[in-house]
Amino acid sequence: MTNVVGVILAGGQGTRMGGQDKGLLSLGPHTILDEVIRRLAPQVDRLVLNVNGDPARFAHLALPTVPDSLGGFLGPLAGVLAGMEWARAHQADWVATVAADTPFFPLDFVVRCQDACQSGAPIALAATADADGVWHRQPTFGLWHVSTIDSLHRALESGLRKIVRWTDAEGGVEVRFETGIYDPFFNVNTPDELDDARRMLEQAQ
């Protein structure tokens, strides 16, 4: 499976961080988004940023940007749709999505999702277990075939926001990632979580 476009979902409003772009917050000597790019770039063929508002604030990254194609801040699924539309227009068949505020996701995330889709599944979502051993999917971390664009567009227009409800209906599969010292899909939503992420980075070095 080749020609995978990596789409970094940075189109949220960041309300719990005072409306800031969480990916542009400092994490050690770099930003959260720098770390996301460092991890994702080797796993895909091309990178795209899903951003809303003025894309100039990301110009220093020298990456293509694509806004949600549906208005109203419909959540991460709208970013997935925008990424798949960009991929299809650039003759790519697959999109791998990650969140812009999750700086520790696995370095084998994409290849393991690719392996899971070898059986013919059009979507694979990452999953981790909670403290009780219950597995939960990480709906912003997935591999998506562009053939699902029309179905996703209809689902969003009908008001569906639960990602896993739609992916289940499309025959999606889950890919289980073990949690080590910390959750690899830990994301930064609040100032306290930003402090936690900085400590995690220090411990990992």
Side-chain angles (χ1 to χ4, degrees), residues 174-195:
E174 71 176 40
V175 182
R176 294 185 172 186
F177 291 86
E178 296 294 334
T179 299
I181 299 173
Y182 50 79
D183 182 347
F185 298 100
F186 171 86
N187 66 311
V188 177
N189 281 315
T190 67
D192 286 344
E193 289 172 345
L194 179 58
D195 290 338

Side-chain angles (χ1 to χ4, degrees), residues 29-106:
H30 306 291
T31 66
I32 295 175
L33 193 49
D34 288 333
E35 183 64 16
V36 170
I37 292 170
R38 185 188 73 81
R39 286 177 172 266
L40 184 58
Q43 303 189 50
V44 297
D45 298 290
R46 287 176 285 182
L47 282 178
V48 176
L49 278 172
N50 163 236
V51 297
N52 292 306
D54 185 0
R57 64 195 193 276
F58 298 99
H60 64 286
L61 298 172
L63 291 175
T65 59
V66 57
D68 293 353
S69 55
L70 296 176
F73 290 102
L74 302 182
L77 266 182
V80 173
L81 175 64
M84 287 201 293
E85 290 170 340
W86 190 95
R88 185 171 65 178
H90 291 79
Q91 291 75 55
D93 294 326
W94 293 90
V95 162
T97 59
V98 303
D101 60 0
T102 306
F104 307 115
F105 64 88

Side-chain angles (χ1 to χ4, degrees), residues 4 21 47 71 134-135 140 146 155 160 164 168:
V4 178
D21 289 301
L47 282 178
V134 178
W135 289 88
T140 55
V146 298
L160 181 67
V164 295
D168 284 348

